[in-house]
Amino acid sequence: MSSKAKHKRTPAPSPARVRLATATATAAALTGGLLAVSAGAASAATPDVAASDADFNGDGYADLAASASHAYVGGHANAGQIAVVYGGAVSTHRVVLSQNSAGVPGSAESGDYFGADSAYGDFDGDGYDDLLVGAPGEDVGSDADGGTAAILWGSANGLTGGTTIADPRPTAHDGFGAPVEAGDFDGDGKDDLAVGANNKDTVDILRGGVSRTAGAAKHSVVTVPVISDTGAGVWNLHSGDANGDGKDDLIVNGYAKDGGYNANFWLPGTSSGPSASGAVRLQQGIITDLGDTDSDGYDDIVIGNVWSASGGKQNSGAVYVVRGTPSGPDTSGHSTFTQNVAGIPGSSETDDNFGSELDLGDVNGDGHLDLIVGAPGEDLTGGTDTGAAWVLYGKADGTGIAAQGALFLEQNNAYVPNDNEKNDYFGSDVHIDDLNGDGRGEAYVGASGENGSNGAVYPVRINPDGTLAASSGLYTSTFGISASGTPRLGANFTD
């Protein structure tokens, strides 16, 4: 499973645009390699982009990036591509980027997995969001699978030009850039980067803004409490402000040094970046998101645990909500959501993998965060592993996520394209973004197994009353992604 960068999903607090980062990336020491880029500051536009939405071209509409990291490029298997959808009131513009695209550093090679992880933020402070794309399988000289990443710079014309992010530990074969994240970890108002490696127990932190020619102003390394071994380093990174101090905290996921698969650790943000001193171990789980679900001013941590055996059903899955407090996450208790909780359609079954992916956002425009949860292993009419997703709405009084009235999504819904089929893995990733600027986030659901693992992305529109509106599907053919092999479009969204 590819890692997903996570950040705040709090709706914009005022009509002013908020430039707050969100991400997943790959980074450490930054080299040169600036290519043709359009400069200039983005002007505020109507509608306003929420704090958690990327806007690569500064037009005021949110943009979406989805990976097909197993795509063939120029005949190279698993070279990888990123599909970008630029938002708009009526229509959207779509492009596909790879290492063979003009201005993108590097060149497409077999097994690079370009797009395995990605993240966004305004890294150079010019008012346009930029996209950080990881290629953890990149061979750099003799460093097989050493990994690399590139920042694709935002501009009035969208993403154009790029700068390479180099692994600071060449020859380590560490899969640098597989898990990445962005946030303001030191509270200076500038977007920072956190970059891990699959085989290492360290995370590189780049702070103080990133120059396109000189790199990051500050670079530090934090050692985290996970095993450093082949395939057992840092698996996922996520960020948000759980203690409300104005500095983003870092959530690190991996195999704990003191035992425990898919352990999560909260590292508080400080004036010098995330600190492993005072790290707090959280509930087990593969994926997390952070956002103020109960409107108390502190980000809550939402954790998806596919290994949970709800009702005795192995790998049926569960989602936990851990409350944020002035001292950080409250580990003394948490809310639990499964398919066996009243109000959530269905029932927990073996290998459903409920909670394998999740995201926070406001789908009905009421100003409260809602939660979308994927279960790509759900068996439905149509066969095994057809997959499903749920939207759990934030309570009208702002006190948190509720199970009652949850919306069930499958491809057999009237307004979701196509039909349930075996091994579609609908819900392989989920995301909330308002691309049409109507004040309500669309629910984007990936189905990485669609059409023989070509993959697909389904934008699901939800009315203010919670009912579904007509939507359409986006496929490899829609984007122009090669159908050779198993590109798996929809396996990972940039958050």
Side-chain angles (χ1 to χ4, degrees):
M1 172 172 300
S2 62
S3 64
K4 275 185 63 176
K6 292 292 187 178
H7 193 67
K8 297 179 182 175
R9 290 290 166 210
T10 307
S14 71
R17 273 182 70 193
V18 182
R19 304 291 348 137
L20 207 55
T22 286
T24 131
T26 299
L30 197 63
T31 67
L34 175 64
L35 302 175
V37 179
S38 175
S43 59
T46 302
D48 300 306
V49 177
S52 59
D53 296 337
D55 184 8
F56 302 123
N57 57 5
D59 65 354
Y61 290 94
D63 305 319
L64 175 74
S67 75
S69 61
H70 290 66
Y72 270 69
V73 180
H76 299 288
N78 302 321
Q81 293 177 310
I82 284 277
V84 181
V85 183
Y86 293 100
V90 178
S91 61
T92 55
H93 172 59
R94 299 187 288 271
V95 299
V96 174
L97 300 171
S98 74
Q99 289 181 288
N100 280 358
S101 298
V104 177
S107 59
E109 299 167 317
S110 296
D112 281 350
Y113 300 105
F114 180 80
D117 217 356
S118 57
Y120 68 82
D122 183 7
F123 303 126
D124 61 354
D126 68 350
Y128 298 100
D129 278 326
D130 313 305
L131 181 66
L132 182 54
V133 184
E138 179 88 13
D139 295 342
V140 183
S142 61
D143 190 10
D145 296 333
T148 188
I151 295 178
L152 308 184
W153 300 106
S155 75
N157 296 318
L159 295 171
T160 175
T163 299
T164 297
I165 305 276
D167 184 353
R169 288 167 294 277
T171 74
H173 312 301
D174 54 2
F176 178 77
V180 295
E181 181 66 349
D184 183 6
F185 300 116
D186 55 8
D188 67 353
K190 299 177 182 178
D191 291 344
D192 308 318
L193 303 176
V195 185
N198 284 148
N199 304 333
K200 294 293 180 182
D201 63 351
T202 55
V203 179
D204 289 276
I205 309 297
L206 285 76
R207 298 185 290 116
V210 178
S211 164
R212 302 187 184 195
T213 55
K218 303 172 184 176
H219 172 230
S220 58
V221 179
V222 58
T223 301
V224 296
V226 303
I227 291 175
S228 181
D229 198 0
T230 301
V234 178
W235 292 335
N236 282 296
L237 296 172
H238 308 280
S239 67
D241 188 4
N243 58 6
D245 65 354
K247 304 177 185 68
D248 281 329
D249 314 313
L250 187 65
I251 308 297
V252 178
N253 174 270
Y255 198 111
K257 290 179 178 177
D258 60 357
Y261 194 73
N262 276 115
N264 290 297
F265 295 91
W266 173 76
L267 277 61
T270 73
S271 58
S272 56
S275 172
S277 177
V280 174
R281 187 164 178 170
L282 304 170
Q283 284 72 14
Q284 179 193 37
I286 257 185
I287 197 75
T288 61
D289 197 2
L290 293 95
D292 189 4
T293 65
D294 55 6
S295 304
D296 66 353
Y298 306 98
D299 280 353
D300 308 307
I301 304 171
V302 186
I303 301 172
N305 180 13
V306 298
W307 314 113
S308 175
S310 177
K313 304 296 184 179
Q314 188 68 29
N315 302 332
S316 55
V319 172
Y320 314 124
V321 178
V322 180
R323 305 294 180 185
T325 75
S327 57
D330 180 5
T331 57
S332 64
H334 60 272
S335 302
T336 301
F337 298 94
T338 72
Q339 290 187 70
N340 288 340
V341 173
I344 299 179
S347 59
S348 296
E349 300 166 317
T350 300
D351 295 329
D352 277 349
N353 291 330
F354 181 86
S356 70
E357 291 291 350
L358 49 83
D359 199 24
L360 289 166
D362 183 7
V363 300
N364 56 7
D366 67 353
H368 302 298
L369 289 178
D370 309 309
L371 174 67
I372 184 170
V373 179
E378 181 79 9
D379 297 340
L380 298 169
T381 301
T384 58
D385 297 332
T386 57
W390 291 256
V391 176
L392 281 61
Y393 293 101
K395 295 178 184 177
D397 60 2
T399 57
I401 301 296
Q404 293 298 324
L407 177 66
F408 179 69
L409 301 175
E410 60 172 320
Q411 290 187 76
N412 280 0
N413 285 138
Y415 287 117
V416 178
N418 290 353
D419 302 303
N420 292 339
E421 297 170 309
K422 182 179 179 179
N423 297 331
D424 275 351
Y425 300 111
F426 183 82
S428 56
D429 199 2
V430 291
H431 181 64
I432 298 174
D433 235 344
D434 180 16
L435 267 65
N436 63 7
D438 65 357
R440 303 190 309 276
E442 299 87 56
Y444 289 86
V445 183
S448 63
E450 182 72 30
N451 296 331
S453 293
N454 282 345
V457 173
Y458 299 101
V460 180
R461 297 178 58 204
I462 299 174
N463 295 315
D465 63 359
T467 59
L468 294 180
S471 58
S472 61
L474 300 171
Y475 311 102
T476 52
S477 59
T478 307
F479 287 106
I481 296 171
S482 171
S484 298
T486 57
R488 299 180 190 173
L489 176 66
N492 189 38
F493 294 115
T494 300
D495 288 316

